Amino acid sequence: MTAFDLPLKKLERDIKHASNYDEYEAACLAYDALSGADDWKAKDESEDYDYKLIQKRVQRLQIARGRGDIHALMSILHEGLHGNLGNIANPALQTHCKIGTKKLIEQFIDEVSLTLEQIVNANEDDVDFYEKLSFFEETAHAFGRSCLMLSGGAGLGFFHAGVVKSLNQRRLLPTVISGASAGSIIGAMLATRTHDELEESLDSQRIYEMFKHWRTFAGLSKDSLFDSSMLENALIELFDLTTFEEAFRKTGRHVTITVSPADLHQHSRLLNAKTSPNAIISQAVRASCAVPIVFSPVQLKAKTPSGDIVPYIPNRRFADGSLMADLPFKRLARLYGVNHSIVSQTNPLAVPFISSRRIDAHSLWDMTTRHIGQLAKSNSVFAIDMIEKMVGNKSAKLAIHKVRSIIDQQYVGDINILPKRQLSNISKVLANPTLESMDELMTSGEQASWPQLHVIERNTKISEKLRYHLAQLKKREAVELRHLAHHTP
C-alpha cells in the first residue's frame, strides 16, 4: 500500500457521499491533484484525440486575435468548427480523471469563445452588421446544438426532476428538450416555467402533493386498470390550458412531447411549437403518460384563436410516447439542427443494459459482444415482423407492433444520466410515491448528473455562445428595421 492510498480512499468516500455539488466538485479536484490526474490534464499528448490539430488551431486563433484580424478569425472558424473537432469530445478522455479534461481542450474552447466575442464586437467599419449576422447564422447552423431528452419510466420518471434541477441551477439546460411518458411531465414544466419558476417548482414536497395519488385502481371492468382523473387534475393544475406556442413565447424553450397512436399504420407524433403550436400541453402530457392497459388512450385538444377548446386530430386517440419514440433524436435533428444529445434515462426496459459513457469498443471481446447484441436486435425485429404478418386479429397486431417499436428504438445518447441499478426501483414503477421515495428519486437524479456537469458545460459552451450572439444580433436587426419603417415616408 502506497502513502497515497488511504487519502485517495477517503476522497473516494467523500465523492460518493457528497451532499451537494460543491462538495462533490471539491473532492474530485482534490482526488485528481493527489492521484496524478492533474499531470495528465497538463500534458497535451494523448492517443484519445488529435492534440496536434488542436494545438495548431489554438495558435492560429491567438495570432489572429492578437492582430485584431477579424476576417482571419472568421475564416479559421469557418474552416471546420464543430463540437468534436479532433475528437475532443471523446468519452475515453473522461476515464483518466474524476473531473475536467485536457487543459489544451479547455484552452481551445475558451479561445473560440473569446474569438466569437471579438467578432460580434468588431468595428463595423471593418466588418459590417450584416456580415456579422450572416457569419453567426451560418456558423450556428453548421455547428449544431445539444438537446435534453427525458425518457419514459412511469414512477421512476421523477428522477428527471432532480436531473433538471441540477442543470437549471448551473444554467446548463439546453433549449431543445423532449419528454416521453413520465418524462413529458418534467418536459412540460421546462416548457412553461422560467429559470426562477423552475427553482420553485422542482421541489420534492410540491411534486409529491401533486402526484401522490396518480395511480388509483379503476376496476377490471373498465378500459384501463387505473383511473386517470387524479393524474389529469394534477396536469391541469400544473399547465392549465397553455398551448405549445404560448409556452414557447414565455420561456423560449423548444419542448417536444412525444405520443404514440392507439391504432395501427400510424407513426408516433412529436408535439411542439413548430409542429402543433395550438395543441394544449396538459392533454399532450396526459396522452404521453397513457401506458397501455394502465391508462386509457387520449383525444388530444387544441385552442382556437378565439380561445375555444376543440379536438386536435379528430377521430384519433394517442397513448404512451415512449412506446415508439422514447428518444426522438433523428426528428429533433431535422427540426432544430440538433447533433448532440444529453439523455436522462429511466426506462426500466433500457437502464439495465446501458452505460453512462458511450466509449467505442476496443477489445476483441467488446467488439464481439456489441456485434452479437446488434444481431440479436435485428433478428428479433425480423421475427416480430414475420409474426405480425401471420396474425389476423387487429388488437393482437397492434400489441405486436408496439413490442417491435420498443425493441427497435435507440435508448442512449452522447451523454447518459442514469439512476442506480437496484431492485427497489422496480417497486416504484407503478406505485404511488411517498414523500420519502420522491425525495430519494430527485436526490438520485441530482447526484447522477454531477459527473456529467463539466462535460455538458464543455460540450455546449460554444453552441450556446453562438446562439446567444446570434439572438442579440437578430434583436438589433429587428429594432433597426422597425426604426427604418417608422421613418420611411
Side-chain angles (χ1 to χ4, degrees):
M1 181 179 288
T2 68
F4 295 114
D5 282 347
L6 288 177
L8 285 175
K9 290 289 185 186
K10 180 186 180 302
L11 287 169
E12 284 177 353
R13 289 194 298 271
D14 291 344
I15 291 169
K16 185 177 180 180
H17 299 294
S19 61
N20 56 59
Y21 181 70
D22 289 340
E23 286 182 10
Y24 172 86
E25 184 180 43
C28 286
L29 291 170
Y31 186 98
D32 285 350
L34 188 60
S35 68
D38 279 356
D39 296 332
W40 174 85
K41 294 176 191 177
K43 293 176 184 176
D44 294 349
E45 297 82 358
S46 172
E47 293 182 353
D48 294 328
Y49 76 117
D50 190 344
Y51 66 91
K52 290 182 179 178
L53 172 65
I54 302 303
Q55 283 176 335
K56 188 66 176 176
R57 198 59 59 94
V58 167
Q59 290 168 1
R60 291 177 65 196
L61 287 172
Q62 287 176 332
I63 291 168
R65 282 204 313 109
R67 292 175 177 168
D69 191 340
I70 303 301
H71 285 98
L73 290 171
M74 293 165 74
S75 176
I76 293 167
L77 295 188
H78 265 313
E79 281 178 12
L81 179 66
H82 58 83
N84 199 21
L85 181 69
N87 213 21
I88 62 173
N90 184 356
L93 289 163
Q94 298 173 46
T95 63
H96 301 280
C97 54
K98 293 291 185 184
I99 201 165
T101 188
K102 290 286 188 182
K103 296 295 183 187
L104 177 62
I105 294 173
E106 293 178 348
Q107 184 184 14
F108 168 71
I109 293 169
D110 289 341
E111 279 295 330
V112 172
S113 298
L114 290 169
T115 296
L116 293 174
E117 288 180 19
Q118 194 160 346
I119 292 170
V120 80
N121 293 320
N123 189 315
E124 291 183 1
D125 290 335
D126 301 320
V127 182
D128 71 35
F129 171 79
Y130 282 100
E131 191 175 358
K132 289 181 188 178
L133 181 61
S134 176
F135 167 81
F136 277 97
E137 284 178 332
E138 292 169 4
T139 309
H141 178 75
F143 190 87
R145 66 205 303 189
S146 296
C147 66
L148 172 65
M149 296 189 287
L150 309 173
S151 77
L156 291 176
F158 296 108
F159 171 91
H160 300 316
V163 173
V164 167
K165 183 177 181 180
S166 183
L167 294 174
N168 189 58
Q169 287 173 344
R170 303 276 298 179
R171 295 187 179 272
L172 292 175
L173 281 170
T175 53
V176 178
I177 296 146
S178 75
S181 196
S184 70
I185 297 173
I186 309 303
M189 291 179 74
L190 285 163
T192 56
R193 284 156 172 78
T194 62
H195 174 274
D196 292 340
E197 288 171 342
L198 276 173
E199 285 284 303
E200 185 179 337
S201 297
L202 294 172
D203 173 77
S204 57
Q205 175 77 47
R206 185 181 292 251
I207 296 176
Y208 165 72
E209 291 297 334
M210 288 278 189
F211 294 99
K212 61 184 177 182
H213 298 306
W214 73 272
R215 182 189 71 109
T216 305
F217 188 62
L220 296 176
S221 61
K222 304 295 183 181
D223 60 355
S224 62
L225 288 177
F226 300 133
D227 179 3
S228 63
S229 59
M230 296 299 291
L231 175 61
E232 288 173 353
N233 291 340
L235 296 177
I236 291 169
E237 187 174 346
L238 277 170
F239 311 121
D240 196 22
L241 297 175
T242 306
T243 66
F244 283 94
E245 184 175 38
E246 290 166 347
F248 175 72
R249 285 204 300 264
K250 177 181 177 180
T251 66
R253 296 194 184 101
H254 302 280
V255 176
T256 290
I257 304 300
T258 64
V259 296
S260 300
D263 51 11
L264 279 170
H265 311 304
Q266 292 290 316
H267 296 290
S268 59
R269 290 183 181 263
L270 270 58
L271 305 174
N272 54 51
K274 281 192 174 186
T275 63
S276 47
N278 299 320
I280 293 172
I281 288 177
S282 58
Q283 285 298 104
V285 174
R286 166 65 181 86
S288 194
C289 291
V291 180
I293 302 175
V294 177
F295 288 125
S296 57
V298 175
Q299 163 72 68
L300 298 174
K301 296 289 196 301
K303 189 190 294 185
T304 67
S306 61
D308 294 329
I309 307 303
V310 298
Y312 183 75
I313 316 178
N315 304 320
R316 294 247 179 252
R317 291 184 177 273
F318 292 88
D320 188 347
S322 67
L323 286 178
M324 299 181 75
D326 199 39
L327 307 178
F329 179 77
K330 289 183 179 178
R331 282 188 279 176
L332 291 179
R334 289 196 295 270
L335 280 168
Y336 299 112
V338 163
N339 58 4
H340 177 264
S341 58
I342 303 159
V343 171
S344 179
Q345 178 58 268
T346 60
N347 193 316
L349 297 173
V351 168
F353 307 104
I354 60 179
S355 168
S356 61
R357 291 175 177 174
R358 292 183 69 178
I359 299 176
D360 292 336
H362 291 298
S363 72
L364 188 61
W365 173 253
D366 287 343
M367 293 173 69
T368 302
T369 53
R370 180 169 295 185
H371 181 62
I372 290 170
Q374 290 170 343
L375 282 175
K377 179 176 179 177
S378 59
N379 287 338
S380 298
V381 169
F382 174 74
I384 290 170
D385 285 344
M386 294 293 289
I387 293 169
E388 186 181 340
K389 289 288 184 185
M390 292 186 287
V391 170
N393 181 273
K394 185 177 178 181
S395 296
K397 272 185 177 290
L398 179 59
I400 292 167
H401 188 70
K402 299 302 185 190
V403 170
R404 183 197 191 282
S405 297
I406 290 168
I407 293 173
D408 200 29
Q409 288 190 59
Q410 180 78 10
Y411 288 100
V412 296
D414 296 296
I415 295 172
N416 300 292
I417 303 172
L418 313 171
K420 293 176 183 176
R421 296 183 179 97
Q422 49 193 21
L423 287 175
S424 61
N425 284 347
I426 297 172
S427 65
K428 296 171 185 170
V429 173
L430 290 178
N432 283 324
T434 63
L435 181 56
E436 181 183 11
S437 69
M438 183 68 73
D439 226 10
E440 182 185 328
L441 276 171
M442 288 187 61
T443 299
S444 172
E446 288 187 72
Q447 292 174 342
S449 74
W450 293 346
Q452 305 293 355
L453 293 182
H454 265 252
V455 185
I456 292 169
E457 185 172 12
R458 285 196 306 275
N459 289 1
T460 60
K461 186 173 182 178
I462 292 173
S463 64
E464 291 302 312
K465 285 278 186 183
L466 280 165
R467 292 185 181 279
Y468 172 77
H469 292 314
L470 177 59
Q472 296 304 306
L473 289 169
K474 283 186 171 293
K475 282 181 184 177
R476 183 179 154 197
E477 180 188 35
V479 170
E480 291 183 1
L481 288 174
R482 284 197 299 269
H483 181 77
L484 182 64
H486 182 72
H487 287 87
T488 300

